[in-house]
Amino acid sequence: MRKIEQLEMAGITKLFHGVPANKDINLSIRSGEILGLLGENGAGKTTLMNILYGLYQPDAGQVLINGKPVRISSPQESKMHGIGMVHQHFMLIESHSAMENICLGYDAAPLVFPKAKLKRQIIEFSRKFNFDVDLDKPIWQLSAGEQQRVEIIKALFNGADLLILDEPTSVLTPQEIKELFVILNKMKDEGHLIILISHKLDEIMELCDRVTVLQKGAIVGDAETKDVDKKILARMMIGRDVIFNIEREEIPSSDRVLSVDKVVVTSDKGIPVVSNISFDLYRNEIFGIAGVSGNGQKELVEAITGLRKIESGSIVLDDQEISNLSPRAIYDKGISHVPEERIKFGIAPGLFLYENAILKQHHLKKFASRLSLAYNTVKDHTRGLIESFQVHAPGISIPTKNLSGGNIQKLILGREIDDNPPVLVASHPTYGLDVGATEYLRKQLLKRRKEGGAVLLVSEDLEEIFELCDRVAVIFKGEFMGVLKADDPKLCDIGLMMAGSLRI
Amino acid sequence: MLRLKVSDRQEITTLHSFLTLVFSIVTGMLAISLIFLISGANPLYAFAKIFTGSFGSIYGIKETITKAIPLILIGAGLAVAYKAKFWNIGAEGQLLLGAIFGTWVGLNLGESLPFYIIVPLMFLAGFIGGGLLGAIPAILKIRYSVNEVISTLMLNYICAEFLTFLIVGPWKGKTKFGFPYTDDLPESAILGVISGTRIHYFTLILGILSVLFLGFLLFKTRFGYEVRVIGENPNAAKYAGISFFRTLLIVMIISGGMAGLAGVGEVAGIHHYLSYPASISSGYGFTAIIVAWLAKLNPIYVIISGLFFAGILVGGDAIQISLNLPAATVFVFNGTLLVFLIMGDYFLKHRVKLQWSRT
């Protein structure tokens, strides 16, 4: 029995300290429909969905299911009404098996020996949607795509008719994205309601029946996808035209700055995750490492920036061996680093903006005398940084966590490249950022390249790789499957290389 | 159905936190009034007694300052450790080991040295004693991932038993008629007091100076910056090339060392000899945990919160005597007030709403 045939959000307004995150939002979705929710970061998409999921209460307006107003004041109640959500960052218990995660919170489980019965039910259930997951494997052994499928099964198994997916493709390979779309279309045919939060126009166009565009908390557009194209949607989303292809000048790359030779790195568990990787990096070049995350790129970056010891091989910067030096020594020698997961690694969230603007540099003479930090110099430096890197912040004496992701990333990038380091290592620099911030950051990387810097770019975003890189290496299980020039026609097989089935 | 809705507060103003503090103390007092009523005492009279016993009389002020000395020293040291998110709850043991080290110096070198040499030496020894004990959990944590809450807590008991062993065994005083005390410290090793009080001013001055120094260290120096980054986000600290080993080791040497200084102050300023652990410290190492939190982990504010809690300790003693209440009343009093302070902190950080919902 379907609990939701039609769901409507009417006049939803949500204020945070008097600032509206959602202003008088009306949207509706019915059975068998996929609705796209499009908008830049901070446009209010996630707030709106969190209201539906019971995490927030609206200050005005109401949710109607099948025409009747309902009150959803907790995720439990939302589940009861048949609403499920797959968050961008998965909410799974790493050390438990897929099956245990799926059953978490499942009310109809038998009291004793639940496992056998539930397993049968889940297998039957997964077959219906062609889910392919090893139920007995612990979560940490599953790929991002498999983890996402576990999340989806979990929601459906708990009786969700309406499924909200928050940026579901951001962690998937092209192949996995295709599989996800097949599953979602199948669910649609079964009569499920799906809301897809995204800022990727291609996805919206391909998958959704209708799209609602949010900008600064308000609806600015609502259309059937067949009536619009990418350009129109992009304009609705950010209120101006976006250049989809950033101009990349042809610059001949010059001297070699960094040489990585037969490097072997092991994971925290002692398993080799980077095996015998060698490459050179030149001035005036952006060298891309493409691949699905978890194939050794994180460890390779950590090895180059000094966060992880290498087992064998060598890393040479300007004729100097730098492998296994401390992160500080490597930074001082000229390798900057924009880390992945900016909030987890790149900043101390509770400290002020100006304190984060000198992270990694607080030991430098220009900021510190013998013992004390020259806070006035630091503050001047910060003002300069936020000015030249377009960081939008109400002031420099506010906790850095109050900034949006895009502004935090601009601050980090500015901090790392302000001194013109010969080498910049950037890991997923635009992950989860909106179109405007992404465009800005990519232009900055190209500017570094033009100015003579060498950039090592690790990204899962193929569009980004193609747009920016001079050469591309594809990594799979700790090995390069090939290193190709950006204009090499063989690059169209990059999907196969990322999946490990082609080596060039 | 009536239900609670809890959400994080995004912004907290100074006025708001001050009013919350006042409100917590007032409501705490109301709850304590109830306890007084049950035990048959007039709450108004009791509070008047507490006030005159702590801040409202000359005698009270003298005693309050005396008890604030160890609380300020230890609280400031704990604030530094907690700022790095290193949960040192071993200040009691660090105080005792500091007292032991200081007493050893006093007893063995005190006869032959003038006070201006022996007193600094004793404090130095106390700092080393407390600091060494603080260093152990830091090394265990960084090298072997041993949880510091367990290791610091357990070291308290080891130190207390070690002190007991010393006073009933090898260090038992020849002049103490068989009591488990060490001999008195020699004259030159005993700290002067402000006349008519028990305020050992040398320790008080040392405390205020070290509080100012720690405030400077934490908020104005490179080292303090590193401590705060580690506390805020260890991942970012690693990324920024900050050495955990060096930083946390120094943090814990300072934290333990400050408790060690307090231990020397208690022996050389008040007791003049070592005796049972409970009489040397009366739980200062634990009370100081609350002192540090109430000061929002700012060493400068520790002066105020230290005085406040010292006042409660002294005021509690006063009502015990004048109202003939059982000794445990003080603990009930402290505990209740603490619960309300913690609750206040919760309401400060979260917005809690009551709302009706139909189900």
Side-chain angles (χ1 to χ4, degrees), chain A residues 140-395:
Chain A
W140 60 268
Q141 287 181 357
L142 301 180
S143 72
E146 289 173 311
Q147 293 188 21
Q148 187 174 58
R149 262 169 270 159
V150 172
E151 283 271 27
I152 297 175
I153 303 175
K154 182 180 166 187
L156 297 180
F157 194 63
N158 275 296
D161 290 327
L162 170 71
L163 192 66
I164 306 166
L165 295 134
D166 191 356
E167 304 279 356
T169 59
S170 55
V171 288
L172 304 183
T173 62
Q175 185 57 35
E176 284 176 323
I177 292 176
K178 269 187 205 147
E179 288 168 18
L180 173 70
F181 284 9
V182 171
I183 290 171
L184 294 182
N185 274 317
K186 186 142 191 175
M187 286 172 54
K188 173 184 157 179
D189 295 340
E190 294 267 325
H192 283 277
L193 306 81
I194 297 168
I195 297 180
L196 181 77
I197 304 180
S198 181
H199 51 242
K200 292 188 187 148
L201 302 168
D202 293 308
E203 280 170 31
I204 298 273
M205 291 303 291
E206 187 181 337
L207 196 64
C208 299
D209 303 297
R210 274 194 310 120
V211 55
T212 294
V213 186
L214 287 178
Q215 197 195 343
K216 293 188 181 136
I219 290 183
V220 291
D222 195 350
E224 303 265 326
T225 40
K226 61 178 192 298
D227 301 334
V228 289
D229 64 15
K230 266 170 68 174
K231 268 225 166 73
I232 299 176
L233 283 183
R235 208 176 304 145
M236 278 188 198
M237 182 161 84
I238 60 171
R240 67 183 165 87
D241 283 304
V242 213
I243 314 152
F244 273 99
N245 291 304
I246 299 177
E247 281 300 309
R248 192 165 66 91
E249 295 172 62
E250 282 308 316
I251 306 174
S253 53
S254 43
D255 320 334
R256 184 172 76 182
V257 277
L258 184 77
S259 171
V260 172
D261 190 35
K262 298 201 186 85
V263 163
V264 175
V265 187
T266 58
S267 72
D268 297 335
K269 297 190 178 74
I271 308 154
V273 282
V274 173
S275 22
N276 272 321
I277 279 189
S278 304
F279 66 91
D280 291 328
L281 188 61
Y282 299 90
R283 291 169 68 86
N284 301 100
E285 181 189 52
I286 298 183
F287 181 78
I289 296 181
V292 181
S293 75
N295 275 297
Q297 50 274 69
K298 178 167 172 258
E299 288 80 3
L300 179 62
V301 163
E302 287 177 347
I304 293 171
T305 53
L307 292 168
R308 188 178 287 272
K309 295 260 178 276
I310 67 170
E311 299 298 313
S312 64
S314 77
I315 303 172
V316 175
L317 175 75
D318 288 330
D319 304 323
Q320 264 183 307
E321 178 69 41
I322 57 156
S323 54
N324 295 343
L325 292 183
S326 72
R328 182 172 292 176
I330 290 177
Y331 175 82
D332 289 345
K333 288 191 189 303
I335 298 186
S336 276
H337 180 201
V338 174
E340 65 178 327
E341 295 188 66
R342 59 192 81 90
I343 294 173
K344 190 167 165 197
F345 295 99
I347 57 161
L351 295 190
F352 290 147
L353 212 57
Y354 65 81
E355 290 174 309
N356 273 297
I358 56 159
L359 193 69
K360 272 177 98 174
Q361 296 156 10
H362 66 281
H363 62 289
L364 298 179
K365 279 218 175 62
K366 61 177 175 179
F367 296 127
S369 57
R370 236 158 212 278
L371 181 66
S372 63
L373 265 176
Y375 272 108
N376 285 332
T377 319
V378 170
K379 285 178 183 168
D380 287 342
H381 171 73
T382 309
R383 283 187 202 102
L385 264 191
I386 65 173
E387 173 86 29
S388 29
F389 290 91
Q390 301 180 11
V391 181
H392 300 299

Side-chain angles (χ1 to χ4, degrees), chain B residues 218-242:
Chain B
L218 211 44
F219 294 105
K220 294 288 171 209
T221 66
R222 266 169 54 183
F223 177 76
Y225 177 83
E226 297 188 339
V227 171
R228 287 181 295 132
V229 172
I230 286 182
E232 271 294 326
N233 186 353
N235 288 317
K238 193 180 166 206
Y239 157 80
I242 294 169

Side-chain angles (χ1 to χ4, degrees), chain B:
Chain B
M1 193 169 64
L2 194 62
R3 59 171 62 190
L4 286 173
K5 188 78 199 169
V6 179
S7 56
D8 285 356
R9 233 181 256 283
Q10 307 286 325
E11 232 179 317
I12 299 163
T13 61
T14 322
L15 180 70
H16 194 168
S17 40
F18 177 74
L19 289 178
T20 310
L21 183 67
V22 172
F23 189 73
S24 313
I25 293 173
V26 171
T27 46
M29 299 268 217
L30 287 176
I32 295 162
S33 306
L34 218 67
I35 297 166
F36 284 141
L37 279 176
I38 292 167
S39 2
N42 177 353
L44 286 177
Y45 179 71
F47 283 124
K49 271 287 164 202
I50 289 172
F51 180 71
T52 49
S54 55
F55 296 101
S57 65
I58 301 291
Y59 172 80
I61 289 174
K62 289 177 196 167
E63 273 305 287
T64 299
I65 294 175
T66 309
K67 296 216 170 189
I69 295 172
L71 289 180
I72 290 170
L73 278 163
I74 305 169
L78 289 180
V80 174
Y82 294 164
K83 208 72 188 173
K85 297 242 160 79
F86 194 100
W87 307 123
N88 175 18
I89 48 175
E92 188 76 3
Q94 290 146 13
L95 179 153
L96 293 177
L97 201 65
I100 292 171
F101 273 49
T103 308
W104 186 87
V105 169
L107 285 176
N108 290 283
L109 309 173
E111 298 287 3
S112 51
L113 292 169
F115 77 95
Y116 53 84
I117 295 179
I118 190 66
V119 167
L121 267 184
M122 283 164 65
F123 276 104
L124 181 68
F127 188 88
I128 292 172
L132 282 179
L133 195 67
I136 295 170
I139 294 169
L140 286 177
K141 172 160 179 165
I142 303 158
R143 285 278 179 263
Y144 307 105
S145 309
V146 175
N147 186 316
E148 76 273 22
V149 173
I150 308 289
S151 54
T152 51
L153 182 67
M154 289 305 155
L155 282 169
N156 287 335
Y157 298 107
I158 294 177
C159 286
E161 295 308 322
F162 179 55
L163 172 57
T164 313
F165 161 73
L166 288 178
I167 55 172
V168 298
W171 287 16
K172 191 188 223 176
K174 295 180 183 61
T175 57
K176 294 290 182 184
F177 313 105
F179 282 105
Y181 305 144
T182 63
D183 284 326
D184 279 346
L185 289 173
E187 203 58 42
S188 61
I190 286 175
L191 300 175
V193 292
I194 298 174
S195 65
T197 72
R198 299 202 298 156
I199 302 170
H200 37 119
Y201 52 84
F202 187 89
T203 325
L204 181 64
I205 295 166
L206 186 68
I208 290 170
L209 289 180
S210 34
V211 160
L212 294 178
F213 173 73
L214 290 183
F216 172 78
L217 186 75
L218 211 44
F219 294 105
K220 294 288 171 209
T221 66
R222 266 169 54 183
F223 177 76
Y225 177 83
E226 297 188 339
V227 171
R228 287 181 295 132
V229 172
I230 286 182
E232 271 294 326
N233 186 353
N235 288 317
K238 193 180 166 206
Y239 157 80
I242 294 169
S243 160
F244 278 59
F245 188 79
R246 179 179 155 273
T247 312
L248 287 182
L249 194 64
I250 295 175
V251 161
M252 276 309 288
I253 288 173
I254 291 175
S255 191
M258 291 292 287
L261 293 181
V264 177
E266 289 308 291
V267 174
I270 300 206
H271 305 287
H272 304 167
Y273 54 84
L274 274 181
S275 61
Y276 285 119
S279 55
I280 294 291
S281 156
S282 67
Y284 291 131
F286 296 111
T287 309
I289 296 174
I290 309 149
V291 170
W293 277 106
L294 191 65
K296 308 269 177 219
L297 304 188
N298 185 331
I300 312 284
Y301 296 162
V302 162
I303 297 180
I304 303 166
S305 65
L307 279 169
F308 178 75
F309 265 95
I312 292 178
L313 291 180
V314 175
D317 286 344
I319 54 165
Q320 202 175 304
I321 298 158
S322 61
L323 293 177
N324 208 5
L325 291 171
T329 316
V330 190
F331 298 120
V332 175
F333 189 105
N334 286 348
T336 313
L337 205 56
L338 180 66
V339 168
F340 277 82
L341 284 170
I342 293 170
M343 282 201 292
D345 206 48
Y346 182 82
F347 284 109
L348 185 64
K349 287 190 179 129
H350 301 90
R351 181 184 298 277
V352 181
K353 274 190 200 160
L354 265 180
Q355 57 186 207
W356 286 100
S357 72
R358 302 174 297 263
T359 20

Side-chain angles (χ1 to χ4, degrees), chain A residues 62-71, chain B residues 358:
Chain A
Q62 55 186 354
V63 177
L64 297 100
I65 291 177
N66 304 334
K68 276 192 296 195
V70 290
R71 186 178 184 92
Chain B
R358 302 174 297 263

